[in-house]
Amino acid sequence: AVVNLDNSVVDLETLQALYENRAQSDELEKIEKHSKASKEKENARSLDKPEQFLYELSLIPNFSERVFCILFQSTFSESICSIRRKLELLQKLCETLKNGSGVMQVLGLVLAFGNYMNGGNRTRGQADGFGLDILPKLKDVKSSDNSRSLLSYIVSYYLRNFDEDAGKEQCIFPLPDPQDLFQASQMKFEDFQKDLRKMKKDLRVCETEAAKVYQLSLEEHLQPFKDSMEQF
């Protein structure tokens, strides 16, 4: 199944487990040494089942190299797509925050009401902009009778004066989706770079391991592995 790339017999999850539990070179050396010694002695103890299993795994032509390449190939597209989806979400959000008409209108209202409320104060009135750190505080600014916040007033004002579809099914939220914003806020370029560096490193290892299989395998054991890896 490993040589023929037959996942119906040994699925990828099982292959991963086999790869992680394969015999290391020093372990294999001891197993082979014991196996050889057993053949030369009468009544020698045979290998226990786990050691016998590891020994038989090692008899599969270039087992370790093959399985590394198969597993890497199986996860490569998914890993790249995951990074691409995150970056596309981040890019879309940046474009919306920079150019979205709904964002402009909502932030414009915040500035206009802020300027109006500070109109009687020469040192603080008529600002050309505001710090983003004031946005979470809008809910804390209350009306004189304490019945509503500045945030709820801005929302109702927007719906009354800017949104023609307010109250209808086709009404669209004017700002980016909060869940998308939260996801984007957790993203770090360092993480993207780290993931891509690891994929690049593993890709080079995959090329090296595949070359070993081409070089060391018998002709009858080369296909379909060689065609699959070269295409990949």
Side-chain angles (χ1 to χ4, degrees):
V2 171
V3 172
N4 294 326
L5 304 182
D6 188 351
N7 293 339
S8 66
V9 177
V10 183
D11 61 30
L12 292 170
E13 194 176 336
T14 306
L15 264 187
Q16 179 75 48
L18 290 173
Y19 181 76
E20 289 171 0
N21 291 289
R22 72 194 185 283
Q24 299 304 309
S25 54
D26 58 330
E27 295 172 321
L28 194 57
E29 195 177 318
K30 290 176 184 175
I31 291 172
E32 287 175 341
K33 188 177 178 182
H34 177 83
S35 183
K36 189 177 179 182
S38 297
K39 289 176 184 175
E40 295 169 358
K41 294 179 185 176
E42 286 188 32
N43 302 321
R45 288 182 61 190
S46 59
L47 290 168
D48 282 345
K49 283 186 178 180
E51 284 75 21
Q52 182 67 31
F53 181 70
L54 292 177
Y55 176 67
E56 289 180 15
L57 265 189
S58 73
L59 299 180
I60 298 172
N62 302 103
F63 173 78
S64 177
E65 293 87 351
R66 286 175 187 271
V67 175
F68 179 89
C69 294
I70 294 166
L71 292 173
F72 180 70
Q73 181 186 20
S74 72
T75 58
F76 182 83
S77 294
E78 186 183 335
S79 300
I80 282 287
C81 287
S82 173
I83 293 172
R84 182 189 291 275
R85 278 195 303 271
K86 290 175 183 175
L87 286 172
E88 284 175 347
L89 172 64
L90 187 60
Q91 187 173 19
K92 184 183 81 171
L93 282 171
C94 288
E95 288 295 323
T96 304
L97 290 172
K98 280 169 61 181
N99 306 313
S101 58
V103 176
M104 302 282 190
Q105 288 167 343
V106 171
L107 295 182
L109 285 176
V110 174
L111 179 61
F113 288 134
N115 282 342
Y116 181 80
M117 292 167 69
N118 291 327
N121 185 330
R122 287 191 176 188
T123 58
R124 300 186 67 186
Q126 300 305 303
D128 293 325
F130 55 84
L132 294 177
D133 59 328
I134 75 152
L135 292 176
K137 299 172 186 174
L138 296 178
K139 67 181 184 301
D140 301 323
V141 180
K142 304 290 185 180
S143 58
S144 55
D145 62 357
N146 218 31
S147 63
R148 67 190 313 186
S149 68
L150 179 56
L151 176 63
S152 67
Y153 184 76
I154 290 171
V155 171
S156 61
Y157 189 93
Y158 174 88
L159 290 170
R160 282 199 314 272
N161 296 280
F162 289 94
D163 194 340
E164 296 176 358
D165 295 322
K168 301 176 185 174
E169 279 189 18
Q170 59 267 37
C171 176
I172 297 173
F173 185 60
L175 303 176
D177 184 281
Q179 186 60 34
D180 290 347
L181 273 174
F182 176 74
Q183 279 186 35
S185 73
Q186 305 300 303
M187 294 178 195
K188 295 178 182 174
F189 284 112
E190 293 85 357
D191 293 339
F192 290 128
Q193 289 166 340
K194 182 181 172 185
D195 290 343
L196 288 169
R197 275 197 301 270
K198 184 179 186 309
M199 290 182 70
K200 192 173 186 179
K201 179 186 171 188
D202 286 348
L203 183 58
R204 285 175 178 157
V205 173
C206 185
E207 288 173 342
T208 304
E209 298 295 81
K212 286 182 192 173
V213 177
Y214 307 156
Q215 187 179 356
L216 300 173
S217 287
L218 297 173
E219 189 68 33
E220 69 232 48
H221 296 146
L222 271 178
Q223 300 298 354
F225 179 86
K226 190 169 189 283
D227 284 350
S228 176
M229 282 302 132
E230 285 180 347
Q231 184 181 352
F232 170 57

